[in-house]
Each structure stands twice: as structure tokens, then as C-alpha cells.
């Protein structure tokens, strides 16, 4: 197998497990990849997949870190979608912000994700897009990218 990619499954599993067990995210459904069921009335997180499905989920690059060593850098596209069955967009945005704080807290609590070789895991970008309709209620979609750096020795 390609050693450069060997950390990726463990990193994705650690993110899914961390988000699934975080008390601040207890009401949020977590998917490993894109949702595989109807999510029109769910609050959920996708790990390694954008909410739209149009974004490349994981980008890999390598950076030198010293003599004969490198770091693999994974940019992991993910998303948070917060649904409310009413039209109170302020409450929906507030809930999205609270859940997003739970995501941030998880990454700050253990920047290694408990995975051997991980040097850091941090949020690098996030977008918030509120939407609502009288018929369906409101949704706030948050796309975000987690950058994970893994130390490797060739």
C-alpha cells in the first residue's frame, strides 16, 4: 500500500468518531462521507464530503519538514447542515454556531485526533449559508475544511 495514504483512513475514522461522541454534537447525525439516507429534515455533519457533493473531498499535498522527512497534508472537506422546521432563521443560525463551536472544541481538545503521526488538525476555512422557506422551514449550511498534517519519514 501507499504509506502516504495510510494515515487517511485513521484520520477520517477519528473525525467521525470524535464528532459522533462529542457531547456538544449529541443531536447531530454524523456521516462518514456523503449522506446515505434522506437528510431533508436532519441536522447532520458530513466528514470527507461536501454538502453539495460537488467538491473534491480530500486533497493531499506534501511539504518538507526537515532532513529526509516530510509531512502529508490532508485538506478534508466536510459540512454541517442545521435544519429547523420553522422559519426562525435567527434560532437556526444560533444553533449552527453552537454546533460549529462543538466542532472547533473537538479539534482544539486534541490536535492529534489520537492518531499516530498526526502533528496537527485545524479548521482552515468555513462558510455559513442560511436558507429558509415558509413551506419547509430554515436550514443553515456550513461548509468547512479541516487541515490535517501527518509526519512521515520516507
Amino acid at each position: 500500500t501507499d504509506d502516504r495514504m495510510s494515515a487517511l483512513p485513521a484520520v477520517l475514522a477519528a473525525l467521525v468518531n470524535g464528532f459522533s461522541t462529542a457531547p456538544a454534537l449529541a443531536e447531530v447525525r454524523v456521516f462518514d462521507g456523503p449522506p446515505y439516507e434522506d437528510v431533508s429534515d436532519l441536522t447532520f455533519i458530513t466528514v470527507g464530503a461536501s454538502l453539495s457533493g460537488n467538491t473534491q473531498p480530500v486533497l493531499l499535498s506534501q511539504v518538507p519538514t526537515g532532513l529526509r522527512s516530510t509531512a502529508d497534508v490532508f485538506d478534508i472537506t466536510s459540512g454541517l447542515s442545521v435544519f429547523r422546521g420553522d422559519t426562525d432563521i435567527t434560532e437556526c443560525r444560533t444553533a449552527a454556531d453552537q454546533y460549529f463551536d462543538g466542532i472547533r472544541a473537538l479539534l482544539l481538545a486534541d490536535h492529534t485526533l489520537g492518531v499516530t503521526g498526526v502533528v496537527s488538525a485545524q479548521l482552515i476555512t468555513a462558510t455559513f449559508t442560511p436558507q429558509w422557506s415558509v413551506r419547509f422551514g430554515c436550514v443553515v449550511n456550513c461548509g468547512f475544511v479541516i487541515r490535517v498534517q501527518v509526519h512521515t519519514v520516507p
Side-chain angles (χ1 to χ4, degrees):
T1 63
D2 184 352
D3 290 339
R4 290 180 41 204
M5 295 299 286
S6 64
L8 183 59
V11 165
L12 293 172
L15 289 169
V16 169
N17 183 56
F19 294 150
S20 297
T21 59
L25 303 172
E27 299 173 8
V28 179
R29 179 75 192 271
V30 179
F31 292 96
D32 185 353
Y36 45 83
E37 61 187 60
D38 179 20
V39 293
S40 58
D41 62 352
L42 287 178
T43 293
F44 66 94
I45 291 173
T46 60
V47 176
S50 68
L51 295 173
S52 67
N54 295 331
T55 307
Q56 194 171 12
V58 178
L59 297 174
L60 168 69
S61 58
Q62 269 195 325
V63 295
T65 57
L67 187 61
R68 302 182 75 202
S69 68
T70 60
D72 291 332
V73 178
F74 300 107
D75 286 346
I76 301 170
T77 298
S78 300
L80 165 68
S81 183
V82 178
F83 171 80
R84 295 293 185 263
D86 58 33
T87 57
D88 186 351
I89 195 70
T90 301
E91 191 279 330
C92 195
R93 270 194 308 258
T94 300
D97 191 50
Q98 290 171 343
Y99 292 136
F100 205 73
D101 282 347
I103 292 168
R104 276 190 212 105
L106 177 84
L107 295 172
L108 290 172
D110 182 2
H111 66 272
T112 70
L113 303 173
V115 176
T116 301
V118 171
V119 176
S120 66
Q122 61 188 356
L123 285 168
I124 59 167
T125 62
T127 59
F128 286 73
T129 309
Q131 305 167 347
W132 69 274
S133 72
V134 173
R135 183 172 174 200
F136 298 110
C138 55
V139 174
V140 173
N141 288 323
C142 310
F144 58 97
V145 176
I146 300 169
R147 177 165 287 163
V148 179
Q149 184 171 330
V150 181
H151 180 75
T152 57
V153 178

